Amino acid sequence: MPTCSIEKPLTVVIPAYNEEKTVAQVIDVVLAVPIVGEVIVVDDCSSDRTAEIVGTIADSEPMVRLLRHEVNQGKGAALRTGFQGATLPFVIVQDADQEYDPNEFPLVVMPLINGDCDVCYGSRYLRDNPRRVLRFWHTMGNRFLTTLSNMVTDLYVTDMETCYKAFRREVIQNIKIEENRFGFEPEVTAKIARRRLRVMEVAVSYYPRSFDEGKHIGWKDGVRAVYCIFKYGIWRRNQSVMMLESSEASSNS
């Protein structure tokens, strides 16, 4: 039984940096999805016409809001800004390119609407999801990071690095996002695990673009992801245990 009676309960947060070629088309497709009630585009100080294009759309479409960073900070920072601006019961991330299909929002969000989970990941690696053939080493890198994250968090997800992460709004707004770039993915996964939130996965399609087509993530982000897995998954957890033990010792003395 659905737990939300709002007809359009979904906020879509779109981080955008130099996406003038695709951002308008992505917004058009997002707005056509029946459950979408709010679109927040966070322009991360683009040097092209991204902000101008989104601003023109927002002027004529009340569901679209443009938030801007005056200094380029990264995807994680843009998501942090977008999450805090969300007003509807559920929130999902959508990149400003065309790698993921917004028509699949209902697949990812319905488990939340039905009250089955607090967070839902759209996995590129579950079966029965059509996708363009992926680059081998990029895929192996993603699977390595996902496996390492699973070992640290004790979650068993198949795609920790997926863009399609959907949350109950109060859940994501109560998680402090510290990473400014692509470290957001392992950070938020570790913090979800620490809070023992209910997590589900569904299969989604995926049509990756190449670096020549504007993909921004690189090998340095992979190194940072490994660091973040340990930082938020082990070191912070150990700090929390030590603080709890110290508090208990003080109360017993």
Side-chain angles (χ1 to χ4, degrees):
M1 178 69 69
T3 61
C4 180
S5 60
I6 299 175
E7 183 179 357
K8 295 177 177 288
L10 182 63
T11 294
V12 182
V13 176
I14 305 178
Y17 176 65
N18 290 349
E19 300 286 4
E20 65 178 7
K21 295 180 180 179
T22 58
V23 68
Q25 296 95 314
V26 169
I27 292 173
D28 284 345
V29 177
V30 167
L31 288 172
V33 179
I35 63 173
V36 172
E38 180 178 55
V39 180
I40 300 176
V41 182
V42 183
D43 177 71
D44 194 30
C45 195
S46 296
S47 58
D48 64 3
R49 296 179 57 249
T50 298
E52 177 186 345
I53 292 169
V54 178
T56 299
I57 295 172
D59 287 342
S60 60
E61 174 51 67
M63 286 202 303
V64 178
R65 294 162 53 197
L66 171 64
L67 304 178
R68 300 192 66 186
H69 287 171
E70 296 303 320
V71 177
N72 179 258
Q73 300 176 58
K75 180 180 179 178
L79 290 176
R80 181 167 59 237
T81 297
F83 291 151
Q84 291 308 311
T87 64
L88 294 178
F90 309 106
V91 183
I92 194 170
V93 178
Q94 168 69 49
D95 284 344
D97 53 38
Q98 297 173 313
E99 292 188 328
Y100 293 81
D101 183 2
N103 290 301
E104 295 182 341
F105 285 165
L107 293 175
V108 187
V109 179
M110 281 309 298
L112 296 165
I113 294 175
N114 290 334
D116 296 328
C117 62
D118 305 302
V119 181
C120 189
Y121 284 18
S123 173
R124 296 165 289 181
Y125 303 120
L126 290 175
R127 294 181 178 180
D128 301 325
N129 53 338
R131 62 176 185 260
R132 183 187 299 174
V133 173
L134 308 178
R135 295 287 183 179
F136 176 79
W137 287 114
H138 185 265
T139 301
M140 291 301 101
N142 279 341
R143 290 185 172 174
F144 167 75
L145 293 174
T146 295
T147 300
L148 189 62
S149 174
N150 287 343
M151 293 170 65
V152 170
T153 63
D154 198 31
L155 293 179
Y156 183 49
V157 299
T158 62
D159 192 5
M160 180 270 293
E161 291 280 350
T162 181
C163 165
Y164 271 6
K165 293 179 172 70
F167 312 87
R168 291 194 294 111
R169 176 172 56 86
E170 63 270 23
V171 165
I172 193 58
Q173 289 183 339
N174 285 323
I175 294 177
K176 181 181 179 182
I177 303 301
E178 302 172 57
E179 291 297 309
N180 284 340
R181 284 183 55 80
F182 294 97
F184 162 78
E185 315 292 357
E187 176 193 1
V188 76
T189 301
K191 291 180 175 180
I192 287 167
R194 284 218 310 273
R195 286 162 173 77
R196 298 187 180 277
L197 296 169
R198 298 171 301 158
V199 183
M200 290 186 65
E201 277 190 312
V202 297
V204 296
S205 55
Y206 182 56
Y207 307 95
R209 60 180 178 172
S210 67
F211 289 101
D212 291 337
E213 294 170 316
K215 196 171 187 68
H216 301 304
I217 193 169
W219 67 268
K220 292 182 180 179
D221 296 302
V223 174
R224 180 69 185 184
V226 172
Y227 170 78
C228 290
I229 287 170
F230 286 100
K231 176 181 179 180
Y232 299 106
I234 293 181
W235 298 329
R236 289 291 178 83
R237 182 177 62 200
N238 290 344
Q239 288 177 348
S240 298
V241 171
M242 291 172 63
M243 290 175 62
L244 177 61
E245 291 175 346
S246 176
S247 175
E248 290 175 346
S250 297
S251 63
N252 291 333
S253 61

